[in-house]
Every structure is written in C-alpha cells, then in structure tokens.
Amino acid sequence: MSRKILVVDDMTANRKIIKAALAKAIENIETVEAEDGYKAIEVIKQGGISVVILDIMMPGIDGLDVLAAIKSDKRTCNIPVIMCSALYETGSLEKALKLGALDYFTKPLTEEQMKISLPLKIKNALEHFDNKNELVMFYEHIKDEMHLAEQIQKALITEHAYFPQGEIWGKYIPCEEVGGDMFCIKQVGEKLWFMIADISGHGISAAMISNMINIIFMTTVESCHMPDQLAKKINNTLFEVFGGSKFVLTSAFIGFMDKNSIIYVNSGHPYPVLYNFGQNKVESLSANGFLLGVLEDCGFQNVERKIGKGDAILLYTDGLFDKGMNSEFAAWDSVYEYCKNNIEHFGKGKEQLLSSLIDFFSNKGGKSFIDDVAVLIVEKT
C-alpha cells in the first residue's frame, strides 16, 4: 500500500530534489507537495499523510507554526515530522525538536544525504508512524474491552431490590473502570444471603477475581446451611486456584437474615454497623476472622444476633474511609461514628442514608475516593 509523504518548502527546486531522491530510494510511496504553511495544513487536514518533511523558513506561516498546529491537533499529532533547515538555523531546530519534531536534516542536500541519510530518516519515520498507529489501535481495543468489562461488572451489582426477608440498597464506585470490591445477594428459602468483599488491588485482575467470587457465591450458597460453610468454600477455591498469593487476599463479610436473626462470619473485613429500629440506636458488629485465600482449610466462626422488623445492617469496604493516610487506614470506627451522629438518616429512607454517607466520606480530608468503594444496606422487612 502506497504511503503519502508531504514535502513542504516554498522553493520549487527543493521540493523536486527531495521528491526525486525519495522516489529512487523508497518503494510504495507517493509524494505530495505544498508550497507554504497554509497549503500544508490544508493537505494534512484532508488525511492520509504518513510523514511530513517541513521547511522551517517560509513566508506567511513558518515551519514552527505548522509543526505546532500538527502536534496540537489530536487527529494529526501522531504524524512524524522531519524538519529541514539551513545550517545556521540551529536555534530553530532546537525549538522544533521541543515542539515534537521527530528528526531533521540541513540543506543544501549533499549527494550522500540524498542517497543514504534522507531515505533512512524517512524509512525510520514511516516505521515510527506504523508503530504509533498500532499502539493507538491497541489502546482503543483495550478501552473497548475495559468498557465491556465495566458493563459486565455493573450488571452483576444489584443497587436496589425487594426480597421476602428484606430490602437492599447498594452502591459500587470503582476507582478505575473496573475494580475488586463487590457485593451480592440471594434469597434461598427463608434466608436472605448477602456478602460484601474487597479483593486486594484494583483494575482488571481484581475485577476478574471479584466476578469469580460472585459466581462461587451464587452457585454454592444453596448447598450451605451456615455462613462459615460458604466462607470455607470460597476460601478453599481461592487457595486452590491462586495458592495463597498476596494479590488475591480478600476480606469479606458473609451472612444471612432469616425470620428473627442475622447470622454471619467476618473474614478480616471492616466492621458493619447494625441499626436497631425499636431502640433507635446503632452498634458496631466487631468480629474478626481470617482473610479469604490466605490459608487452606482454615475455620470461620458464626455469630448470631437477634433482629426485628425495621432493623438494618450497613456494610462497606475500606475504600469508603481510606484516603491514603496512615491514621485513616484502620479507622473503621469512623463509619460507626458517622452513623451514630446521623442516626436520623436511618429513618429518612435508606437511599438517602446511602447517598449522604457517600457524599460525606467522598469529601472527607479534602480528597475524593482513591480506592474502590462498595456500600450495602440490608433492612429487615
């Protein structure tokens, strides 16, 4: 396929010399000419140019202005530009290289330049252009893949739903297109099962592990009678697949609501907040356990609490309060303190509670979220 080389010079003789030299040395190229900067910009905007050979000193718009216009336009900024100048224009050449010129040569051209160095510079520029285009295409492909992954992950998140045993509200905010925090819900008989989890890291790998955990939860929860059994199945699967890798360490809070109680296990996860509707008070569910995926066949401890109609549990990942400051890293009590000081929000509707909670912590410390965030509210109905 023929590639177009644009030669820009106000001297007709110079354009013809360069055109003839390239035609002898390089196959499958088409040389296009422009006698000034205005014409050069017009030709470049039409598209199809692979390399520009650009004279610096021209009447009207000089070569530096044309170069600046090429590099400032996202449609043309990847086109390699080779500057052409007289020997005494070293200052202009330095400016051109800073503006993004790929290379340069001086004139008048010698016979050796026409046979060897100029064609070599053009071949290198064409290769540079091809590599740039491949990178751009690869980047666009990755963007499309990331967008698809984002849509898939969003489809797995339920932000509001009614179940026989309760009503849920949730919010997921990845710090990239996709991330490693997640929550999932499933009604099995008279039990409303729920899980929130935080996989170490974020991005594509964390998102894939998070989706894997979601699938394990959804496909095995029906065979589990208690949360410790489900935690053990998830833990052993992660350990079997990843061998205890630090890159898949997962904190999780797993449990279910039935007619009058909540039973749960905590696997190294921030303590949820339990709201008592009858007494209009909150408490922190402080229970500890092993992270998932660290040890094979480790045990998990079930904890049971009595609950009544209108009671609710607020679960969250550490991205809600972690702003990268050491004093904030384990500040799980900050969420509890917020709930205690704003307990009236529980009575105004859980959707409003979720929104106000996220607004408060997203602005805390003058920083927005720097990690994935997942928040889930489950209310007994």
Side-chain angles (χ1 to χ4, degrees):
M1 183 180 67
S2 176
R3 263 93 68 83
K4 288 185 179 180
I5 313 297
L6 173 62
V7 181
V8 187
D9 196 307
D10 59 310
M11 299 293 292
T12 303
N14 289 340
R15 299 197 303 271
K16 299 302 180 187
I17 290 170
I18 293 172
K19 184 176 181 179
L22 297 180
K24 288 181 181 178
I26 306 175
E27 297 179 348
N28 299 321
I29 63 166
E30 174 186 351
T31 307
V32 184
E33 299 179 36
E35 66 275 9
D36 57 40
Y38 296 106
K39 181 65 175 177
I41 291 173
E42 180 184 334
V43 172
I44 292 168
K45 285 184 176 180
Q46 291 172 1
I49 299 298
S50 299
V51 178
V52 177
I53 298 174
L54 181 59
D55 188 23
I56 289 182
M57 296 298 291
M58 294 185 296
I61 302 178
D62 68 14
L64 293 177
D65 290 333
V66 176
L67 175 62
I70 293 171
K71 295 303 176 182
S72 64
D73 189 333
K74 65 180 182 180
R75 297 168 298 179
T76 61
C77 63
N78 288 328
I79 299 174
V81 179
I82 297 175
M83 305 304 294
C84 174
S85 75
L87 285 170
Y88 60 84
E89 294 171 343
T90 55
S92 296
L93 283 174
E94 184 178 356
K95 289 180 182 178
L97 293 172
K98 288 181 178 179
L99 284 170
L102 179 67
D103 205 343
Y104 70 91
F105 62 89
T106 57
K107 59 183 181 180
L109 286 166
T110 65
E111 185 175 348
E112 183 181 6
Q113 282 179 303
M114 287 188 285
K115 287 183 177 180
I116 301 173
S117 63
L118 179 59
L120 182 60
K121 289 176 185 289
I122 299 303
K123 288 177 182 178
N124 289 339
L126 288 170
E127 184 177 353
H128 177 85
F129 182 65
D130 291 341
N131 290 339
K132 273 274 191 177
N133 282 341
E134 287 179 8
L135 285 173
V136 169
M137 290 175 64
F138 179 72
Y139 174 71
E140 291 300 322
H141 174 71
I142 292 297
K143 278 178 61 179
D144 291 341
E145 291 292 313
M146 288 291 287
H147 179 68
L148 178 58
E150 180 184 11
Q151 296 303 111
I152 292 172
Q153 192 165 43
K154 284 182 177 179
L156 295 173
I157 296 291
T158 301
E159 293 195 341
H160 182 233
Y162 296 95
F163 297 91
Q165 294 294 348
E167 186 176 359
I168 70 101
W169 297 261
K171 189 71 176 179
Y172 176 55
I173 308 170
C175 67
E176 299 179 9
E177 286 87 348
V178 292
D181 291 9
M182 52 85 71
F183 58 81
C184 43
I185 312 285
K186 188 171 185 178
Q187 181 84 34
V188 180
E190 294 184 346
K191 297 175 181 178
L192 177 57
W193 284 84
F194 55 85
M195 176 176 69
I196 189 166
D198 183 356
I199 293 85
S200 58
H202 32 258
I204 296 176
S205 59
M208 293 179 69
I209 296 168
S210 130
N211 292 342
M212 175 182 174
I213 293 173
N214 191 310
I215 292 169
I216 298 170
F217 176 91
M218 289 296 183
T219 56
T220 63
V221 66
E222 292 187 21
S223 63
C224 297
H225 298 290
M226 298 295 284
D228 65 321
Q229 296 172 314
L230 181 54
K232 189 170 184 177
K233 287 188 176 185
I234 296 172
N235 175 75
N236 289 349
T237 302
L238 291 177
F239 190 88
E240 180 182 348
V241 174
F242 300 105
S245 168
K246 65 180 181 180
F247 299 109
V248 296
L249 300 183
T250 301
S251 71
F253 190 93
I254 305 170
F256 63 76
M257 282 183 179
D258 58 18
K259 289 183 177 180
N260 54 17
S261 65
I262 174 173
I263 301 177
Y264 60 88
V265 297
N266 190 332
S267 300
H269 201 75
Y271 304 148
V273 176
L274 182 65
Y275 171 68
N276 187 306
F277 174 73
Q279 299 180 24
N280 192 36
K281 70 176 185 179
V282 294
E283 63 177 298
S284 180
L285 297 182
S286 53
N288 296 305
F290 292 107
L291 291 168
L292 300 178
V294 179
L295 299 171
E296 189 176 16
D297 289 325
C298 59
F300 299 92
Q301 184 67 44
N302 291 314
V303 180
E304 182 174 1
R305 296 295 303 272
K306 297 298 180 183
I307 57 171
K309 184 177 181 181
D311 291 354
I313 182 171
L314 169 67
L315 307 103
Y316 53 92
T317 57
D318 63 11
L320 182 64
F321 55 80
D322 179 14
K323 297 300 179 72
M325 299 171 284
N326 290 335
S327 60
E328 295 292 325
F329 181 73
W332 300 353
D333 58 340
S334 62
V335 180
Y336 167 74
E337 289 297 328
Y338 174 85
C339 293
K340 185 175 71 172
N341 295 332
N342 297 274
I343 198 165
E344 69 278 3
H345 289 175
F346 282 88
K348 293 180 179 179
K350 303 306 181 293
E351 187 173 357
Q352 183 176 339
L353 168 64
L354 188 64
S355 177
S356 62
L357 180 76
I358 290 172
D359 287 344
F360 175 81
F361 281 96
S362 65
N363 297 313
K364 188 176 181 182
K367 293 183 179 180
S368 58
F369 297 128
I370 62 171
D371 194 5
D372 303 329
V373 178
V375 184
L376 175 66
I377 301 172
V378 184
E379 182 181 66
K380 175 66 179 172
T381 55

